[in-house]
Amino acid sequence: MTLKILEIVGLLQAPVMWWVFRRFFKRDMTGEMIASAIVGVVWEISTEPMWDYHFYITYYRDAPLAELTGWMVMFPLVILLSEKLYRVFLKKASVLPHDKRIFGFDVLSGIIICLPLEAIGARLGVWQYRQDVLQWNWGMIPLFNLPWEVPFGYSLLLLIAPTFIRYWEKDFENGKATG
């Protein structure tokens, strides 16, 4: 029963976040969410043999649709936090074009947002790591009870995904092409 409720919440999280940001923050998240979905699909399909998911509605083997909506929520939140930290710590009004320091803020923000969500999903049984495939052996992160390889993998993904999303988001919003 818990997994069914989690799956319903997971499926609703993207449209709810889109509505909340549109309604209360006057921010259109459409482009970021679509670009995030693209990254999420690529990630889930390419890593599918590494985890066993336990949701019911899937789009590729056992890769659940609710996991995809999770990427659609998680990446925009990472980008929002990253850009906020960048502006605060570097005392800038906005992210400077081509400033490579944003990569560090992307990774830091990703770990802050993704690690707790990963721990919650794993603890609640949404997925299991396929240790027979992964063969992770760096040990476990205290408090989170996750393998150290998890934040390492996220760090690698976060060096690419936010940049892709920032580049393509406007092309998916109201037909406003940037290129």
Side-chain angles (χ1 to χ4, degrees):
M1 185 60 162
T2 302
L3 284 176
K4 287 181 182 178
I5 293 169
L6 287 172
E7 186 165 17
I8 291 167
V9 169
L11 291 169
L12 293 174
Q13 66 185 336
V16 167
M17 180 179 144
W18 179 88
W19 179 81
V20 166
F21 273 82
R22 185 105 181 188
R23 172 85 164 91
F24 297 107
F25 302 109
K26 308 296 184 234
R27 182 176 173 137
D28 184 4
M29 301 295 286
T30 305
E32 288 170 286
M33 294 176 92
I34 293 171
S36 295
I38 292 168
V39 174
V41 166
V42 169
W43 185 258
E44 292 301 331
I45 289 174
S46 64
T47 64
E48 188 274 334
M50 298 178 186
W51 355 96
D52 285 329
Y53 286 108
H54 304 294
F55 279 164
Y56 302 97
I57 301 171
T58 62
Y59 62 92
Y60 176 78
R61 296 188 183 174
D62 77 337
L65 189 57
E67 187 70 20
L68 179 58
T69 59
W71 292 113
M72 292 170 70
V73 168
M74 196 165 53
F75 281 135
L77 291 176
V78 166
I79 290 169
L80 288 171
L81 179 59
S82 175
E83 292 174 359
K84 178 69 173 173
L85 293 175
Y86 175 99
R87 291 190 309 271
V88 168
F89 285 105
L90 300 179
K91 297 176 180 26
K92 304 286 184 192
S94 63
V95 177
L96 300 174
H98 308 290
D99 187 348
K100 307 306 182 264
R101 294 178 291 183
I102 194 66
F103 290 131
F105 291 103
D106 287 346
V107 170
L108 174 63
S109 298
I111 298 303
I112 290 169
I113 289 172
C114 300
L115 204 56
L117 294 175
E118 183 83 13
I120 291 167
R123 276 199 192 114
L124 292 175
V126 174
W127 62 82
Q128 293 171 297
Y129 301 113
R130 294 277 317 272
Q131 186 59 21
D132 59 316
V133 174
L134 296 166
Q135 298 183 21
W136 286 342
N137 60 7
W138 292 355
M140 302 298 273
I141 303 170
L143 182 66
F144 291 101
N145 198 32
L146 290 172
W148 278 105
E149 289 87 346
V150 169
F152 179 74
Y154 269 116
S155 296
L156 294 175
L157 179 60
L158 291 160
L159 288 172
I160 299 167
T163 301
F164 173 87
I165 294 162
R166 284 185 190 103
Y167 183 82
W168 287 103
E169 68 180 303
K170 292 295 179 209
D171 287 329
F172 295 114
E173 291 175 3
N174 302 321
K176 300 176 199 168
T178 57

mmCIF file of all heavy atoms in Angstrom, residues 31-47 59 67-68 71-72 74-76 79 156-158 160-166 168 172:
data_model
loop_
_atom_site.group_PDB
_atom_site.id
_atom_site.type_symbol
_atom_site.label_atom_id
_atom_site.label_comp_id
_atom_site.label_asym_id
_atom_site.label_seq_id
_atom_site.Cartn_x
_atom_site.Cartn_y
_atom_site.Cartn_z
ATOM 1 N N GLY A 31 10.048 24.598 -19.467
ATOM 2 C CA GLY A 31 11.268 24.249 -20.190
ATOM 3 C C GLY A 31 12.239 23.456 -19.346
ATOM 4 O O GLY A 31 12.819 22.461 -19.805
ATOM 5 N N GLU A 32 12.436 23.885 -18.101
ATOM 6 C CA GLU A 32 13.338 23.159 -17.213
ATOM 7 C C GLU A 32 12.846 21.736 -16.966
ATOM 8 O O GLU A 32 13.634 20.793 -16.928
ATOM 9 C CB GLU A 32 13.470 23.886 -15.872
ATOM 10 C CG GLU A 32 14.283 25.156 -15.972
ATOM 11 C CD GLU A 32 14.197 25.970 -14.705
ATOM 12 O OE1 GLU A 32 13.136 26.590 -14.476
ATOM 13 O OE2 GLU A 32 15.184 25.979 -13.955
ATOM 14 N N MET A 33 11.543 21.591 -16.827
ATOM 15 C CA MET A 33 10.987 20.270 -16.538
ATOM 16 C C MET A 33 11.075 19.350 -17.756
ATOM 17 O O MET A 33 11.383 18.162 -17.612
ATOM 18 C CB MET A 33 9.564 20.404 -16.027
ATOM 19 C CG MET A 33 9.512 21.102 -14.670
ATOM 20 S SD MET A 33 7.855 21.378 -14.077
ATOM 21 C CE MET A 33 7.649 19.884 -13.131
ATOM 22 N N ILE A 34 10.828 19.875 -18.943
ATOM 23 C CA ILE A 34 10.942 19.047 -20.150
ATOM 24 C C ILE A 34 12.399 18.637 -20.380
ATOM 25 O O ILE A 34 12.688 17.470 -20.653
ATOM 26 C CB ILE A 34 10.364 19.772 -21.381
ATOM 27 C CG1 ILE A 34 8.850 19.925 -21.219
ATOM 28 C CG2 ILE A 34 10.699 19.020 -22.668
ATOM 29 C CD1 ILE A 34 8.210 20.818 -22.263
ATOM 30 N N ALA A 35 13.319 19.592 -20.265
ATOM 31 C CA ALA A 35 14.744 19.262 -20.424
ATOM 32 C C ALA A 35 15.187 18.271 -19.346
ATOM 33 O O ALA A 35 15.973 17.356 -19.621
ATOM 34 C CB ALA A 35 15.586 20.536 -20.378
ATOM 35 N N SER A 36 14.675 18.428 -18.136
ATOM 36 C CA SER A 36 14.993 17.490 -17.054
ATOM 37 C C SER A 36 14.458 16.100 -17.364
ATOM 38 O O SER A 36 15.108 15.090 -17.064
ATOM 39 C CB SER A 36 14.391 17.973 -15.734
ATOM 40 O OG SER A 36 14.974 19.188 -15.331
ATOM 41 N N ALA A 37 13.285 16.032 -17.968
ATOM 42 C CA ALA A 37 12.710 14.744 -18.351
ATOM 43 C C ALA A 37 13.595 14.043 -19.378
ATOM 44 O O ALA A 37 13.786 12.822 -19.311
ATOM 45 C CB ALA A 37 11.301 14.924 -18.898
ATOM 46 N N ILE A 38 14.159 14.806 -20.301
ATOM 47 C CA ILE A 38 15.057 14.221 -21.303
ATOM 48 C C ILE A 38 16.270 13.606 -20.613
ATOM 49 O O ILE A 38 16.644 12.460 -20.881
ATOM 50 C CB ILE A 38 15.467 15.270 -22.353
ATOM 51 C CG1 ILE A 38 14.258 15.662 -23.194
ATOM 52 C CG2 ILE A 38 16.608 14.753 -23.230
ATOM 53 C CD1 ILE A 38 14.472 16.886 -24.063
ATOM 54 N N VAL A 39 16.885 14.358 -19.713
ATOM 55 C CA VAL A 39 18.042 13.831 -18.967
ATOM 56 C C VAL A 39 17.614 12.611 -18.157
ATOM 57 O O VAL A 39 18.320 11.600 -18.117
ATOM 58 C CB VAL A 39 18.659 14.903 -18.041
ATOM 59 C CG1 VAL A 39 19.751 14.314 -17.168
ATOM 60 C CG2 VAL A 39 19.190 16.065 -18.865
ATOM 61 N N GLY A 40 16.455 12.691 -17.511
ATOM 62 C CA GLY A 40 15.969 11.583 -16.695
ATOM 63 C C GLY A 40 15.747 10.311 -17.500
ATOM 64 O O GLY A 40 16.112 9.216 -17.064
ATOM 65 N N VAL A 41 15.163 10.444 -18.673
ATOM 66 C CA VAL A 41 14.937 9.270 -19.526
ATOM 67 C C VAL A 41 16.271 8.650 -19.930
ATOM 68 O O VAL A 41 16.454 7.429 -19.843
ATOM 69 C CB VAL A 41 14.097 9.637 -20.777
ATOM 70 C CG1 VAL A 41 14.150 8.529 -21.825
ATOM 71 C CG2 VAL A 41 12.656 9.912 -20.385
ATOM 72 N N VAL A 42 17.207 9.479 -20.370
ATOM 73 C CA VAL A 42 18.525 8.959 -20.764
ATOM 74 C C VAL A 42 19.182 8.257 -19.580
ATOM 75 O O VAL A 42 19.711 7.148 -19.709
ATOM 76 C CB VAL A 42 19.422 10.097 -21.302
ATOM 77 C CG1 VAL A 42 20.859 9.634 -21.465
ATOM 78 C CG2 VAL A 42 18.870 10.630 -22.618
ATOM 79 N N TRP A 43 19.140 8.888 -18.411
ATOM 80 C CA TRP A 43 19.762 8.312 -17.213
ATOM 81 C C TRP A 43 19.100 6.986 -16.833
ATOM 82 O O TRP A 43 19.777 5.998 -16.581
ATOM 83 C CB TRP A 43 19.684 9.302 -16.061
ATOM 84 C CG TRP A 43 20.394 8.834 -14.842
ATOM 85 C CD1 TRP A 43 19.842 8.301 -13.721
ATOM 86 C CD2 TRP A 43 21.804 8.838 -14.620
ATOM 87 N NE1 TRP A 43 20.807 7.977 -12.810
ATOM 88 C CE2 TRP A 43 22.021 8.297 -13.338
ATOM 89 C CE3 TRP A 43 22.895 9.247 -15.385
ATOM 90 C CZ2 TRP A 43 23.305 8.158 -12.807
ATOM 91 C CZ3 TRP A 43 24.157 9.109 -14.844
ATOM 92 C CH2 TRP A 43 24.357 8.563 -13.573
ATOM 93 N N GLU A 44 17.786 6.974 -16.778
ATOM 94 C CA GLU A 44 17.079 5.767 -16.336
ATOM 95 C C GLU A 44 17.242 4.608 -17.315
ATOM 96 O O GLU A 44 17.430 3.467 -16.905
ATOM 97 C CB GLU A 44 15.597 6.060 -16.087
ATOM 98 C CG GLU A 44 15.343 6.959 -14.911
ATOM 99 C CD GLU A 44 15.868 6.415 -13.582
ATOM 100 O OE1 GLU A 44 15.935 5.177 -13.404
ATOM 101 O OE2 GLU A 44 16.207 7.238 -12.721
ATOM 102 N N ILE A 45 17.190 4.896 -18.605
ATOM 103 C CA ILE A 45 17.353 3.814 -19.581
ATOM 104 C C ILE A 45 18.782 3.290 -19.573
ATOM 105 O O ILE A 45 19.013 2.086 -19.610
ATOM 106 C CB ILE A 45 16.914 4.270 -20.991
ATOM 107 C CG1 ILE A 45 15.384 4.416 -21.019
ATOM 108 C CG2 ILE A 45 17.381 3.295 -22.065
ATOM 109 C CD1 ILE A 45 14.825 4.993 -22.309
ATOM 110 N N SER A 46 19.752 4.191 -19.480
ATOM 111 C CA SER A 46 21.150 3.748 -19.528
ATOM 112 C C SER A 46 21.601 3.055 -18.243
ATOM 113 O O SER A 46 22.534 2.262 -18.271
ATOM 114 C CB SER A 46 22.073 4.923 -19.852
ATOM 115 O OG SER A 46 22.024 5.888 -18.825
ATOM 116 N N THR A 47 20.947 3.330 -17.127
ATOM 117 C CA THR A 47 21.353 2.704 -15.861
ATOM 118 C C THR A 47 20.346 1.673 -15.361
ATOM 119 O O THR A 47 20.518 1.131 -14.270
ATOM 120 C CB THR A 47 21.558 3.769 -14.763
ATOM 121 O OG1 THR A 47 20.313 4.417 -14.486
ATOM 122 C CG2 THR A 47 22.619 4.780 -15.163
ATOM 123 N N TYR A 59 7.834 2.880 -18.056
ATOM 124 C CA TYR A 59 7.915 3.268 -19.467
ATOM 125 C C TYR A 59 9.034 2.526 -20.189
ATOM 126 O O TYR A 59 9.077 2.521 -21.415
ATOM 127 C CB TYR A 59 8.094 4.788 -19.624
ATOM 128 C CG TYR A 59 9.366 5.327 -19.021
ATOM 129 C CD1 TYR A 59 10.515 5.456 -19.787
ATOM 130 C CD2 TYR A 59 9.424 5.705 -17.692
ATOM 131 C CE1 TYR A 59 11.684 5.948 -19.238
ATOM 132 C CE2 TYR A 59 10.577 6.202 -17.141
ATOM 133 C CZ TYR A 59 11.709 6.316 -17.914
ATOM 134 O OH TYR A 59 12.860 6.798 -17.359
ATOM 135 N N GLU A 67 9.531 7.909 -11.282
ATOM 136 C CA GLU A 67 10.954 8.254 -11.146
ATOM 137 C C GLU A 67 11.303 9.374 -12.122
ATOM 138 O O GLU A 67 12.054 10.285 -11.805
ATOM 139 C CB GLU A 67 11.816 7.018 -11.398
ATOM 140 C CG GLU A 67 13.269 7.216 -11.114
ATOM 141 C CD GLU A 67 13.584 7.370 -9.635
ATOM 142 O OE1 GLU A 67 12.777 6.976 -8.774
ATOM 143 O OE2 GLU A 67 14.675 7.893 -9.339
ATOM 144 N N LEU A 68 10.722 9.310 -13.301
ATOM 145 C CA LEU A 68 10.939 10.360 -14.301
ATOM 146 C C LEU A 68 10.405 11.698 -13.806
ATOM 147 O O LEU A 68 11.067 12.732 -13.943
ATOM 148 C CB LEU A 68 10.275 9.970 -15.618
ATOM 149 C CG LEU A 68 10.394 10.970 -16.750
ATOM 150 C CD1 LEU A 68 11.847 11.261 -17.087
ATOM 151 C CD2 LEU A 68 9.658 10.442 -17.972
ATOM 152 N N TRP A 71 12.858 13.295 -11.503
ATOM 153 C CA TRP A 71 13.923 14.062 -12.164
ATOM 154 C C TRP A 71 13.397 15.431 -12.596
ATOM 155 O O TRP A 71 14.105 16.430 -12.530
ATOM 156 C CB TRP A 71 14.461 13.324 -13.392
ATOM 157 C CG TRP A 71 15.218 12.074 -13.085
ATOM 158 C CD1 TRP A 71 14.846 10.797 -13.379
ATOM 159 C CD2 TRP A 71 16.484 11.962 -12.430
ATOM 160 N NE1 TRP A 71 15.797 9.914 -12.941
ATOM 161 C CE2 TRP A 71 16.817 10.597 -12.355
ATOM 162 C CE3 TRP A 71 17.366 12.888 -11.883
ATOM 163 C CZ2 TRP A 71 17.992 10.135 -11.777
ATOM 164 C CZ3 TRP A 71 18.548 12.430 -11.297
ATOM 165 C CH2 TRP A 71 18.846 11.072 -11.254
ATOM 166 N N MET A 72 12.142 15.487 -13.022
ATOM 167 C CA MET A 72 11.538 16.742 -13.471
ATOM 168 C C MET A 72 11.389 17.749 -12.332
ATOM 169 O O MET A 72 11.307 18.953 -12.573
ATOM 170 C CB MET A 72 10.170 16.474 -14.103
ATOM 171 C CG MET A 72 10.249 15.712 -15.403
ATOM 172 S SD MET A 72 8.617 15.164 -15.990
ATOM 173 C CE MET A 72 7.910 16.741 -16.464
ATOM 174 N N MET A 74 13.458 17.371 -9.325
ATOM 175 C CA MET A 74 14.755 17.473 -8.667
ATOM 176 C C MET A 74 15.727 18.402 -9.411
ATOM 177 O O MET A 74 16.342 19.275 -8.786
ATOM 178 C CB MET A 74 15.364 16.079 -8.531
ATOM 179 C CG MET A 74 16.490 16.004 -7.545
ATOM 180 S SD MET A 74 16.900 14.307 -7.079
ATOM 181 C CE MET A 74 17.155 13.528 -8.639
ATOM 182 N N PHE A 75 15.861 18.243 -10.703
ATOM 183 C CA PHE A 75 16.827 19.076 -11.429
ATOM 184 C C PHE A 75 16.490 20.569 -11.379
ATOM 185 O O PHE A 75 17.382 21.385 -11.132
ATOM 186 C CB PHE A 75 16.996 18.614 -12.878
ATOM 187 C CG PHE A 75 17.880 17.406 -13.037
ATOM 188 C CD1 PHE A 75 17.491 16.378 -13.867
ATOM 189 C CD2 PHE A 75 19.086 17.299 -12.373
ATOM 190 C CE1 PHE A 75 18.296 15.263 -14.037
ATOM 191 C CE2 PHE A 75 19.900 16.189 -12.531
ATOM 192 C CZ PHE A 75 19.505 15.163 -13.369
ATOM 193 N N PRO A 76 15.242 20.972 -11.607
ATOM 194 C CA PRO A 76 14.951 22.415 -11.470
ATOM 195 C C PRO A 76 15.238 22.939 -10.057
ATOM 196 O O PRO A 76 15.715 24.071 -9.911
ATOM 197 C CB PRO A 76 13.461 22.509 -11.812
ATOM 198 C CG PRO A 76 13.232 21.382 -12.752
ATOM 199 C CD PRO A 76 14.095 20.269 -12.215
ATOM 200 N N ILE A 79 18.952 23.459 -9.794
ATOM 201 C CA ILE A 79 19.365 24.657 -10.524
ATOM 202 C C ILE A 79 18.995 25.919 -9.753
ATOM 203 O O ILE A 79 19.809 26.848 -9.646
ATOM 204 C CB ILE A 79 18.766 24.646 -11.945
ATOM 205 C CG1 ILE A 79 19.445 23.548 -12.774
ATOM 206 C CG2 ILE A 79 18.915 26.007 -12.618
ATOM 207 C CD1 ILE A 79 18.765 23.252 -14.092
ATOM 208 N N LEU A 156 28.985 13.365 -10.922
ATOM 209 C CA LEU A 156 29.284 13.262 -12.353
ATOM 210 C C LEU A 156 28.083 13.698 -13.193
ATOM 211 O O LEU A 156 28.232 14.447 -14.161
ATOM 212 C CB LEU A 156 29.689 11.834 -12.706
ATOM 213 C CG LEU A 156 30.996 11.339 -12.088
ATOM 214 C CD1 LEU A 156 31.223 9.864 -12.420
ATOM 215 C CD2 LEU A 156 32.172 12.181 -12.532
ATOM 216 N N LEU A 157 26.898 13.240 -12.817
ATOM 217 C CA LEU A 157 25.691 13.626 -13.544
ATOM 218 C C LEU A 157 25.447 15.131 -13.452
ATOM 219 O O LEU A 157 25.054 15.775 -14.426
ATOM 220 C CB LEU A 157 24.481 12.861 -12.989
ATOM 221 C CG LEU A 157 23.124 13.158 -13.616
ATOM 222 C CD1 LEU A 157 23.124 12.843 -15.107
ATOM 223 C CD2 LEU A 157 22.041 12.367 -12.897
ATOM 224 N N LEU A 158 25.725 15.713 -12.290
ATOM 225 C CA LEU A 158 25.465 17.137 -12.074
ATOM 226 C C LEU A 158 26.482 18.050 -12.752
ATOM 227 O O LEU A 158 26.272 19.261 -12.815
ATOM 228 C CB LEU A 158 25.381 17.424 -10.577
ATOM 229 C CG LEU A 158 24.124 16.806 -9.948
ATOM 230 C CD1 LEU A 158 24.289 16.669 -8.449
ATOM 231 C CD2 LEU A 158 22.899 17.601 -10.317
ATOM 232 N N ILE A 160 26.916 17.712 -15.854
ATOM 233 C CA ILE A 160 26.369 17.767 -17.210
ATOM 234 C C ILE A 160 24.905 18.227 -17.234
ATOM 235 O O ILE A 160 24.533 19.101 -18.007
ATOM 236 C CB ILE A 160 26.474 16.374 -17.880
ATOM 237 C CG1 ILE A 160 27.939 15.955 -17.964
ATOM 238 C CG2 ILE A 160 25.818 16.362 -19.235
ATOM 239 C CD1 ILE A 160 28.134 14.505 -18.309
ATOM 240 N N ALA A 161 24.062 17.620 -16.408
ATOM 241 C CA ALA A 161 22.610 17.817 -16.501
ATOM 242 C C ALA A 161 22.176 19.277 -16.353
ATOM 243 O O ALA A 161 21.415 19.764 -17.201
ATOM 244 C CB ALA A 161 21.894 16.931 -15.484
ATOM 245 N N PRO A 162 22.593 20.019 -15.323
ATOM 246 C CA PRO A 162 22.118 21.406 -15.214
ATOM 247 C C PRO A 162 22.521 22.279 -16.406
ATOM 248 O O PRO A 162 21.743 23.132 -16.830
ATOM 249 C CB PRO A 162 22.756 21.911 -13.916
ATOM 250 C CG PRO A 162 22.945 20.671 -13.102
ATOM 251 C CD PRO A 162 23.328 19.619 -14.118
ATOM 252 N N THR A 163 23.695 22.038 -16.955
ATOM 253 C CA THR A 163 24.133 22.811 -18.123
ATOM 254 C C THR A 163 23.226 22.515 -19.313
ATOM 255 O O THR A 163 22.796 23.427 -20.026
ATOM 256 C CB THR A 163 25.603 22.489 -18.465
ATOM 257 O OG1 THR A 163 26.405 22.812 -17.332
ATOM 258 C CG2 THR A 163 26.074 23.256 -19.678
ATOM 259 N N PHE A 164 22.922 21.251 -19.541
ATOM 260 C CA PHE A 164 22.006 20.859 -20.611
ATOM 261 C C PHE A 164 20.646 21.524 -20.412
ATOM 262 O O PHE A 164 20.068 22.084 -21.348
ATOM 263 C CB PHE A 164 21.857 19.329 -20.628
ATOM 264 C CG PHE A 164 20.812 18.834 -21.594
ATOM 265 C CD1 PHE A 164 21.133 18.587 -22.922
ATOM 266 C CD2 PHE A 164 19.509 18.612 -21.182
ATOM 267 C CE1 PHE A 164 20.167 18.139 -23.815
ATOM 268 C CE2 PHE A 164 18.535 18.162 -22.069
ATOM 269 C CZ PHE A 164 18.866 17.923 -23.384
ATOM 270 N N ILE A 165 20.142 21.477 -19.192
ATOM 271 C CA ILE A 165 18.817 22.032 -18.894
ATOM 272 C C ILE A 165 18.807 23.542 -19.096
ATOM 273 O O ILE A 165 17.882 24.088 -19.709
ATOM 274 C CB ILE A 165 18.388 21.635 -17.470
ATOM 275 C CG1 ILE A 165 18.180 20.119 -17.410
ATOM 276 C CG2 ILE A 165 17.126 22.387 -17.048
ATOM 277 C CD1 ILE A 165 18.180 19.547 -16.013
ATOM 278 N N ARG A 166 19.835 24.235 -18.603
ATOM 279 C CA ARG A 166 19.897 25.692 -18.786
ATOM 280 C C ARG A 166 19.943 26.061 -20.272
ATOM 281 O O ARG A 166 19.356 27.048 -20.694
ATOM 282 C CB ARG A 166 21.127 26.258 -18.090
ATOM 283 C CG ARG A 166 21.007 26.354 -16.603
ATOM 284 C CD ARG A 166 22.242 27.045 -16.004
ATOM 285 N NE ARG A 166 22.222 26.934 -14.577
ATOM 286 C CZ ARG A 166 22.974 26.079 -13.867
ATOM 287 N NH1 ARG A 166 23.821 25.283 -14.472
ATOM 288 N NH2 ARG A 166 22.873 26.041 -12.560
ATOM 289 N N TRP A 168 18.752 24.332 -22.913
ATOM 290 C CA TRP A 168 17.577 23.978 -23.695
ATOM 291 C C TRP A 168 16.250 24.451 -23.130
ATOM 292 O O TRP A 168 15.237 24.416 -23.827
ATOM 293 C CB TRP A 168 17.513 22.460 -23.876
ATOM 294 C CG TRP A 168 18.529 21.984 -24.843
ATOM 295 C CD1 TRP A 168 19.706 21.364 -24.552
ATOM 296 C CD2 TRP A 168 18.490 22.112 -26.258
ATOM 297 N NE1 TRP A 168 20.400 21.087 -25.704
ATOM 298 C CE2 TRP A 168 19.669 21.537 -26.769
ATOM 299 C CE3 TRP A 168 17.574 22.662 -27.142
ATOM 300 C CZ2 TRP A 168 19.940 21.499 -28.129
ATOM 301 C CZ3 TRP A 168 17.847 22.616 -28.501
ATOM 302 C CH2 TRP A 168 19.025 22.041 -28.985
ATOM 303 N N PHE A 172 11.864 25.031 -24.957
ATOM 304 C CA PHE A 172 10.650 24.279 -24.646
ATOM 305 C C PHE A 172 9.548 25.143 -24.043
ATOM 306 O O PHE A 172 8.487 24.638 -23.726
ATOM 307 C CB PHE A 172 10.975 23.140 -23.677
ATOM 308 C CG PHE A 172 11.876 22.092 -24.266
ATOM 309 C CD1 PHE A 172 13.147 21.908 -23.769
ATOM 310 C CD2 PHE A 172 11.453 21.307 -25.320
ATOM 311 C CE1 PHE A 172 13.979 20.941 -24.298
ATOM 312 C CE2 PHE A 172 12.274 20.346 -25.869
ATOM 313 C CZ PHE A 172 13.545 20.151 -25.370
#
